[in-house]
Coordinates of all heavy atoms in Angstrom, one line a residue:
I135 N 71.1 104.8 98.1 CA 72.4 105.2 97.6 C 72.4 106.7 97.3 O 73.5 107.2 96.8 CB 72.8 104.4 96.3 CG1 71.8 104.5 95.2 CG2 73.1 103.0 96.7 CD1 72.2 103.9 93.9
V136 N 71.3 107.4 97.4 CA 71.3 108.9 97.1 C 70.8 109.6 98.4 O 70.1 109.1 99.2 CB 70.5 109.2 95.9 CG1 71.0 108.5 94.7 CG2 69.0 108.9 96.1
G137 N 71.2 110.9 98.5 CA 70.8 111.7 99.6 C 69.5 112.5 99.4 O 69.0 113.1 100.3
R138 N 69.0 112.5 98.1 CA 67.8 113.3 97.8 C 66.5 112.6 98.2 O 66.5 111.4 98.4 CB 67.8 113.6 96.3 CG 67.5 112.4 95.4 CD 67.8 112.7 93.9 NE 69.2 112.7 93.7 CZ 69.7 112.7 92.4 NH1 68.9 112.6 91.4 NH2 71.0 112.8 92.3
D139 N 65.5 113.3 98.2 CA 64.1 112.7 98.5 C 63.7 112.0 97.2 O 63.7 112.5 96.1 CB 63.1 113.9 98.8 CG 61.7 113.3 99.1 OD1 61.6 112.1 99.2 OD2 60.8 114.1 99.2
T140 N 63.4 110.7 97.4 CA 63.1 109.9 96.2 C 61.6 109.5 96.1 O 61.2 108.8 95.2 CB 63.8 108.5 96.3 OG1 63.4 107.8 97.4 CG2 65.3 108.8 96.4
S141 N 60.7 110.1 97.0 CA 59.3 109.6 97.1 C 58.5 110.0 95.9 O 57.5 109.4 95.6 CB 58.7 110.2 98.4 OG 58.8 111.6 98.4
D142 N 58.9 111.1 95.2 CA 58.1 111.6 94.0 C 58.9 111.4 92.7 O 58.5 112.0 91.7 CB 57.8 113.0 94.2 CG 56.8 113.2 95.4 OD1 55.9 112.4 95.6 OD2 56.9 114.3 96.1
L143 N 60.0 110.6 92.7 CA 60.7 110.5 91.5 C 60.0 109.7 90.4 O 59.3 108.7 90.8 CB 62.1 109.8 91.7 CG 63.1 110.6 92.6 CD1 64.4 109.8 92.7 CD2 63.3 112.0 92.1
S144 N 60.2 110.0 89.2 CA 59.6 109.2 88.1 C 60.6 108.0 87.8 O 61.7 108.0 88.3 CB 59.5 110.1 86.8 OG 60.8 110.5 86.4
V145 N 60.2 107.1 86.9 CA 61.0 106.0 86.5 C 62.3 106.6 85.9 O 63.4 106.1 86.3 CB 60.3 105.1 85.5 CG1 61.3 104.1 84.9 CG2 59.2 104.4 86.1
Q146 N 62.2 107.6 85.0 CA 63.4 108.2 84.4 C 64.3 108.8 85.5 O 65.6 108.6 85.5 CB 63.0 109.2 83.4 CG 64.1 110.0 82.8 CD 64.9 109.2 81.7 OE1 64.7 108.0 81.6 NE2 65.7 109.9 81.0
E147 N 63.7 109.5 86.5 CA 64.5 110.1 87.5 C 65.2 109.1 88.4 O 66.3 109.3 88.9 CB 63.7 111.1 88.3 CG 63.3 112.3 87.5 CD 62.2 113.1 88.2 OE1 61.4 112.6 89.0 OE2 62.1 114.4 87.9
V148 N 64.5 108.0 88.7 CA 65.1 107.0 89.5 C 66.4 106.4 88.9 O 67.4 106.2 89.5 CB 64.1 105.8 89.8 CG1 64.8 104.6 90.4 CG2 63.0 106.3 90.8
R149 N 66.2 106.1 87.6 CA 67.4 105.5 86.9 C 68.5 106.5 86.7 O 69.7 106.2 86.8 CB 66.9 105.0 85.5 CG 66.0 103.8 85.6 CD 65.4 103.4 84.3 NE 64.6 102.1 84.4 CZ 63.7 101.7 83.6 NH1 63.4 102.5 82.5 NH2 63.0 100.6 83.8
M150 N 68.1 107.8 86.4 CA 69.1 108.8 86.3 C 69.9 109.0 87.6 O 71.1 109.1 87.6 CB 68.4 110.2 85.9 CG 69.4 111.3 85.7 SD 68.6 112.9 85.6 CE 67.3 112.6 84.4
A151 N 69.2 109.0 88.7 CA 69.8 109.2 90.0 C 70.8 108.0 90.3 O 72.0 108.3 90.8 CB 68.8 109.2 91.1
A152 N 70.5 106.8 89.9 CA 71.4 105.7 90.1 C 72.6 105.8 89.2 O 73.8 105.6 89.7 CB 70.6 104.4 89.8
L153 N 72.5 106.2 88.0 CA 73.6 106.3 87.1 C 74.5 107.5 87.5 O 75.8 107.4 87.4 CB 73.1 106.5 85.6 CG 72.5 105.2 85.1 CD1 72.0 105.5 83.6 CD2 73.4 104.0 85.1
E154 N 73.9 108.6 87.9 CA 74.7 109.8 88.4 C 75.6 109.3 89.5 O 76.8 109.7 89.6 CB 73.8 110.9 88.7 CG 73.2 111.6 87.6 CD 72.2 112.7 88.0 OE1 71.8 112.7 89.2 OE2 71.8 113.6 87.2
T155 N 75.0 108.6 90.5 CA 75.7 108.2 91.7 C 76.8 107.2 91.3 O 77.9 107.2 91.9 CB 74.7 107.5 92.7 OG1 73.7 108.5 93.0 CG2 75.4 107.1 93.9
L156 N 76.5 106.3 90.4 CA 77.5 105.3 89.9 C 78.7 106.0 89.4 O 79.9 105.7 89.7 CB 76.9 104.4 88.8 CG 77.8 103.3 88.3 CD1 78.2 102.3 89.4 CD2 77.2 102.6 87.1
A157 N 78.5 107.1 88.6 CA 79.6 107.8 88.0 C 80.4 108.6 89.1 O 81.7 108.5 89.1 CB 79.1 108.8 86.9
E158 N 79.7 109.2 90.0 CA 80.4 110.0 91.0 C 81.1 109.0 92.0 O 82.2 109.3 92.4 CB 79.3 110.8 91.8 CG 79.9 111.7 92.8 CD 78.9 112.6 93.5 OE1 77.7 112.6 93.1 OE2 79.3 113.3 94.5
N159 N 80.5 107.9 92.3 CA 81.2 106.9 93.2 C 82.4 106.3 92.6 O 83.3 105.9 93.3 CB 80.2 105.8 93.6 CG 80.8 104.9 94.6 OD1 80.9 105.2 95.8 ND2 81.2 103.7 94.2
L160 N 82.5 106.2 91.3 CA 83.7 105.7 90.6 C 84.9 106.6 91.0 O 86.0 106.1 91.3 CB 83.6 105.7 89.1 CG 84.8 105.2 88.3 CD1 85.3 103.8 88.7 CD2 84.6 105.3 86.8
S161 N 84.6 107.9 91.1 CA 85.7 108.8 91.5 C 85.9 108.7 93.0 O 87.0 108.5 93.5 CB 85.3 110.3 91.1 OG 86.3 111.2 91.6
D162 N 84.9 108.9 93.8 CA 85.0 108.9 95.3 C 85.4 107.6 95.9 O 86.1 107.5 96.9 CB 83.7 109.4 95.9 CG 83.3 110.8 95.6 OD1 84.2 111.5 95.0 OD2 82.2 111.2 95.9
G163 N 84.9 106.5 95.3 CA 85.0 105.2 95.9 C 86.2 104.3 95.4 O 86.5 103.3 96.0
V164 N 86.7 104.7 94.2 CA 87.8 103.9 93.6 C 89.0 104.8 93.2 O 90.1 104.6 93.7 CB 87.3 103.1 92.4 CG1 88.4 102.2 91.9 CG2 86.1 102.2 92.8
I165 N 88.8 105.7 92.2 CA 89.9 106.4 91.6 C 90.6 107.3 92.6 O 91.8 107.3 92.7 CB 89.4 107.2 90.4 CG1 88.7 106.3 89.4 CG2 90.6 107.9 89.7 CD1 89.5 105.1 88.9
A166 N 89.8 108.1 93.4 CA 90.4 109.0 94.4 C 91.2 108.2 95.5 O 92.3 108.6 95.8 CB 89.4 109.9 95.0
P167 N 90.6 107.1 96.1 CA 91.4 106.4 97.0 C 92.7 105.8 96.5 O 93.8 105.9 97.1 CB 90.5 105.2 97.5 CG 89.1 105.8 97.3 CD 89.2 106.7 96.1
L168 N 92.7 105.3 95.2 CA 93.9 104.8 94.6 C 94.9 106.0 94.3 O 96.1 105.8 94.4 CB 93.5 104.1 93.3 CG 92.8 102.8 93.4 CD1 92.4 102.2 92.1 CD2 93.7 101.8 94.2
F169 N 94.4 107.1 93.9 CA 95.2 108.3 93.7 C 96.0 108.7 94.9 O 97.2 108.9 94.9 CB 94.4 109.5 93.2 CG 95.1 110.8 93.0 CD1 95.8 111.0 91.9 CD2 95.1 111.7 94.0 CE1 96.5 112.2 91.7 CE2 95.8 112.9 93.9 CZ 96.5 113.2 92.7
W170 N 95.3 108.7 96.1 CA 95.9 109.1 97.3 C 96.8 108.0 97.9 O 97.8 108.2 98.6 CB 94.9 109.6 98.3 CG 94.4 110.9 98.0 CD1 93.1 111.2 97.4 CD2 95.1 112.2 98.0 NE1 93.0 112.6 97.1 CE2 94.2 113.2 97.5 CE3 96.3 112.5 98.5 CZ2 94.6 114.5 97.5 CZ3 96.7 113.8 98.4 CH2 95.9 114.8 97.9
Y171 N 96.5 106.7 97.5 CA 97.4 105.6 97.9 C 98.7 105.8 97.1 O 99.8 105.6 97.7 CB 96.7 104.3 97.4 CG 97.6 103.1 97.5 CD1 97.9 102.5 98.7 CD2 98.2 102.6 96.3 CE1 98.7 101.4 98.8 CE2 99.0 101.5 96.4 CZ 99.2 100.9 97.6 OH 100.1 99.8 97.6
L172 N 98.6 106.2 95.9 CA 99.9 106.4 95.1 C 100.7 107.5 95.7 O 101.9 107.4 95.8 CB 99.5 106.7 93.7 CG 100.7 106.9 92.7 CD1 101.6 105.6 92.6 CD2 100.2 107.2 91.3
L173 N 100.1 108.6 96.1 CA 100.8 109.7 96.7 C 101.3 109.5 98.1 O 102.4 109.9 98.4 CB 99.9 111.0 96.6 CG 100.1 111.9 95.4 CD1 99.8 111.2 94.1 CD2 99.3 113.2 95.5
L174 N 100.4 109.0 99.0 CA 100.7 109.0 100.4 C 100.6 107.6 101.0 O 100.5 107.5 102.3 CB 99.8 110.0 101.1 CG 99.9 111.4 100.8 CD1 98.9 112.3 101.4 CD2 101.3 112.0 101.1
G175 N 100.5 106.6 100.2 CA 100.4 105.2 100.8 C 99.1 104.9 101.4 O 98.1 105.7 101.3
V176 N 99.0 103.8 102.2 CA 97.8 103.4 102.9 C 97.3 104.5 103.9 O 96.1 104.8 103.9 CB 98.0 102.1 103.6 CG1 96.7 101.7 104.3 CG2 98.4 101.0 102.6
P177 N 98.2 105.2 104.6 CA 97.7 106.2 105.5 C 97.0 107.3 104.8 O 96.0 107.9 105.2 CB 99.0 106.7 106.2 CG 99.9 105.6 106.2 CD 99.6 104.9 104.9
G178 N 97.5 107.7 103.6 CA 96.9 108.7 102.8 C 95.5 108.3 102.3 O 94.6 109.1 102.2
M179 N 95.4 107.0 102.0 CA 94.1 106.4 101.5 C 93.1 106.6 102.6 O 91.9 107.0 102.4 CB 94.4 105.0 101.2 CG 93.5 104.4 100.1 SD 94.0 102.7 99.7 CE 93.1 102.4 98.2
L180 N 93.4 106.2 103.9 CA 92.5 106.3 105.0 C 92.1 107.7 105.3 O 91.0 108.0 105.6 CB 93.1 105.6 106.2 CG 92.8 104.1 106.5 CD1 91.3 103.9 106.8 CD2 93.1 103.2 105.3
A181 N 93.1 108.6 105.2 CA 92.9 110.0 105.5 C 91.9 110.6 104.5 O 91.0 111.4 104.8 CB 94.2 110.8 105.4
Y182 N 92.0 110.1 103.2 CA 91.0 110.6 102.2 C 89.6 110.1 102.5 O 88.7 110.8 102.4 CB 91.4 110.1 100.8 CG 90.3 110.2 99.8 CD1 90.0 111.5 99.3 CD2 89.4 109.2 99.5 CE1 89.0 111.7 98.4 CE2 88.4 109.4 98.6 CZ 88.1 110.6 98.1 OH 87.1 110.8 97.3
K183 N 89.5 108.8 103.0 CA 88.2 108.3 103.4 C 87.6 109.1 104.5 O 86.4 109.3 104.5 CB 88.3 106.8 103.8 CG 88.7 105.9 102.6 CD 87.7 106.0 101.5 CE 86.4 105.3 101.7 NZ 85.5 105.2 100.5
M184 N 88.4 109.6 105.4 CA 87.9 110.5 106.5 C 87.4 111.8 105.9 O 86.3 112.3 106.3 CB 88.9 110.7 107.5 CG 88.5 111.7 108.6 SD 87.0 111.3 109.5 CE 87.6 110.3 110.8
I185 N 88.1 112.4 105.0 CA 87.7 113.6 104.3 C 86.4 113.4 103.6 O 85.5 114.2 103.7 CB 88.8 114.1 103.3 CG1 90.1 114.5 104.0 CG2 88.3 115.2 102.4 CD1 91.2 114.8 103.1
N186 N 86.3 112.3 102.9 CA 85.0 112.0 102.2 C 83.9 111.8 103.1 O 82.7 112.2 102.8 CB 85.3 110.8 101.3 CG 84.3 110.6 100.2 OD1 83.6 109.6 100.0 ND2 84.2 111.7 99.3
T187 N 84.1 111.1 104.2 CA 83.0 110.9 105.2 C 82.6 112.2 105.9 O 81.4 112.4 106.1 CB 83.5 109.9 106.3 OG1 84.0 108.7 105.6 CG2 82.4 109.5 107.2
L188 N 83.6 113.1 106.2 CA 83.3 114.4 106.7 C 82.3 115.2 105.8 O 81.4 115.8 106.2 CB 84.6 115.2 107.0 CG 85.3 114.9 108.3 CD1 86.8 115.4 108.1 CD2 84.7 115.5 109.5
D189 N 82.7 115.1 104.5 CA 81.9 115.9 103.6 C 80.5 115.3 103.4 O 79.5 116.0 103.4 CB 82.5 115.9 102.2 CG 81.7 116.6 101.1 OD1 81.4 117.8 101.3 OD2 81.3 115.9 100.2
S190 N 80.4 114.0 103.4 CA 79.1 113.3 103.3 C 78.2 113.5 104.5 O 76.9 113.5 104.3 CB 79.3 111.8 103.0 OG 79.8 111.2 104.2
M191 N 78.8 113.8 105.6 CA 78.0 114.0 106.9 C 77.7 115.4 107.2 O 76.7 115.7 107.8 CB 78.6 113.3 108.0 CG 78.6 111.7 107.9 SD 79.4 111.0 109.4 CE 78.2 111.4 110.7
T192 N 78.6 116.3 106.8 CA 78.5 117.7 107.3 C 78.6 118.7 106.1 O 78.4 119.9 106.4 CB 79.6 118.1 108.3 OG1 80.9 118.0 107.7 CG2 79.6 117.1 109.5
G193 N 78.8 118.3 104.9 CA 79.1 119.2 103.8 C 77.8 119.7 103.1 O 77.8 119.8 101.9
Y194 N 76.8 120.0 103.9 CA 75.5 120.4 103.3 C 75.3 121.9 103.5 O 75.8 122.5 104.4 CB 74.3 119.7 103.9 CG 74.3 118.2 103.7 CD1 74.7 117.4 104.8 CD2 73.9 117.7 102.5 CE1 74.8 116.0 104.6 CE2 73.9 116.3 102.4 CZ 74.4 115.5 103.4 OH 74.4 114.1 103.2

Side-chain angles (χ1 to χ4, degrees):
I135 59 173
V136 300
R138 71 192 71 167
D139 181 9
T140 64
S141 59
D142 293 324
L143 296 185
S144 66
V145 170
Q146 176 76 350
E147 288 169 334
V148 167
R149 290 171 175 163
M150 184 193 306
L153 291 178
E154 287 175 344
T155 303
L156 182 65
E158 187 175 352
N159 185 78
L160 177 60
S161 177
D162 293 351
V164 181
I165 305 303
L168 289 173
F169 175 82
W170 288 106
Y171 169 78
L172 181 61
L173 261 62
L174 297 174
V176 178
M179 211 176 191
L180 267 292
Y182 168 78
K183 294 301 288 186
M184 173 56 86
I185 292 171
N186 200 236
T187 309
L188 278 161
D189 178 61
S190 66
M191 291 183 66
T192 67
Y194 298 102

